[in-house]
Amino acid sequence: MGADEIRHPVLVDTDALISVANTALWPTVVGNLNLTTTNVCIHELKRHIRDKSEFAPDGSRRKWIYDGSVAALEPFEDDSNTAFTTINSVPRPHGPDAGEQSLEQELEQHPESYTFVVLMDQRGRESINRIFEKRDADGVAVAPSYLLYLLHKNGNCSKQEFCEACGELLEGEGWTSYSAIQAIWQEIPIDCSSYVDRNLLP
């Protein structure tokens, strides 16, 4: 079986990869987790690298997306790294939500392969959860912070490192609305009040 056919139980979309790849814990993610994405999400990361600029001002949205895309793409393009694999979407979705659609399509076709599907979009998570229910598969859609939680759960990072990375992710992405903050901490049974600004907690 080629690396492009390996399906790990954690399926991740473009925005989730960018947000987590921008945190201090990304090297720990790369060293300890097994992730799968789609060729459509990989294409989106490459497009971000082309469209945004490494010379964008520090702290800008463009720079955040560029840096996150570069970091996220690296382990998927490393042929020796079978812990990060890419599945080809057939047929291939197009349009602004193509990455998210490719996850839904992949899950429809292989529901038994996945335990977690990681994406930030609320509507997208609801669609994914409906697919799991419809196919009677034991899985759940989770926010990007859940990748960091998996590290903590597996003993790969401290509570402080986990909490601070979640704060980094929320601030960097600008996910500071009530619904975004609720989504980030959903499914995560850790009290981060000692390490994260109260405004970023549910």
Side-chain angles (χ1 to χ4, degrees), residues 107-127:
L107 186 63
E108 285 273 16
Q109 294 169 357
H110 301 276
E112 72 294 335
S113 295
Y114 300 105
T115 307
F116 300 110
V117 179
V118 188
L119 69 166
M120 187 58 189
D121 182 74
Q122 175 72 32
R123 184 192 54 78
R125 288 199 311 278
E126 289 168 358
S127 295

Side-chain angles (χ1 to χ4, degrees), residues 4-199:
D4 59 344
E5 299 167 61
I6 297 172
R7 289 176 166 85
H8 296 301
V10 184
L11 181 64
V12 192
D13 92 332
T14 313
D15 291 343
L17 286 168
I18 290 170
S19 66
V20 176
N22 268 312
T23 70
L25 282 178
W26 179 244
T28 313
V29 170
V30 174
N32 293 281
L33 295 184
N34 295 343
L35 307 181
T36 293
T37 193
T38 67
N39 62 319
V40 179
C41 292
I42 294 293
H43 177 76
E44 288 182 343
L45 291 173
K46 289 179 176 176
R47 193 182 71 238
H48 285 322
I49 293 168
R50 276 198 317 273
D51 293 351
K52 311 303 175 193
S53 170
E54 63 183 299
F55 305 112
D58 282 343
S60 68
R61 179 73 184 149
R62 285 168 59 95
K63 180 71 167 160
W64 174 269
I65 293 173
Y66 177 87
D67 289 347
S69 297
V70 169
L73 194 58
E74 197 173 317
F76 286 102
E77 295 214 305
D78 178 356
D79 291 339
S80 66
N81 185 359
T82 55
F84 279 60
T85 62
T86 306
I87 296 298
N88 286 323
S89 281
V90 183
R92 180 172 174 168
H94 293 278
D97 297 324
E100 194 178 298
Q101 288 168 12
S102 71
L103 264 61
E104 293 182 19
Q105 183 174 290
E106 169 64 15
L107 186 63
E108 285 273 16
Q109 294 169 357
H110 301 276
E112 72 294 335
S113 295
Y114 300 105
T115 307
F116 300 110
V117 179
V118 188
L119 69 166
M120 187 58 189
D121 182 74
Q122 175 72 32
R123 184 192 54 78
R125 288 199 311 278
E126 289 168 358
S127 295
I128 293 289
N129 282 329
R130 280 196 295 273
I131 296 169
F132 274 128
E133 286 164 22
K134 185 174 72 179
R135 303 301 291 270
D136 201 26
D138 186 19
V140 64
V142 291
S145 49
Y146 204 82
L147 289 179
L148 303 172
Y149 173 64
L150 288 174
L151 291 179
H152 181 267
K153 192 177 174 188
N154 296 339
N156 302 130
C157 71
S158 68
K159 177 178 175 177
Q160 181 173 351
E161 287 172 321
F162 163 76
C163 293
E164 288 175 352
C166 286
E168 228 183 322
L169 183 152
L170 280 161
E171 287 184 332
E173 285 287 349
W175 288 337
T176 52
S177 68
Y178 174 82
S179 59
I181 289 168
Q182 295 296 316
I184 284 294
W185 299 108
Q186 197 176 355
E187 314 277 351
I188 293 178
I190 295 179
D191 176 9
C192 283
S193 56
S194 302
Y195 305 106
V196 176
D197 188 304
R198 186 175 299 168
N199 296 332

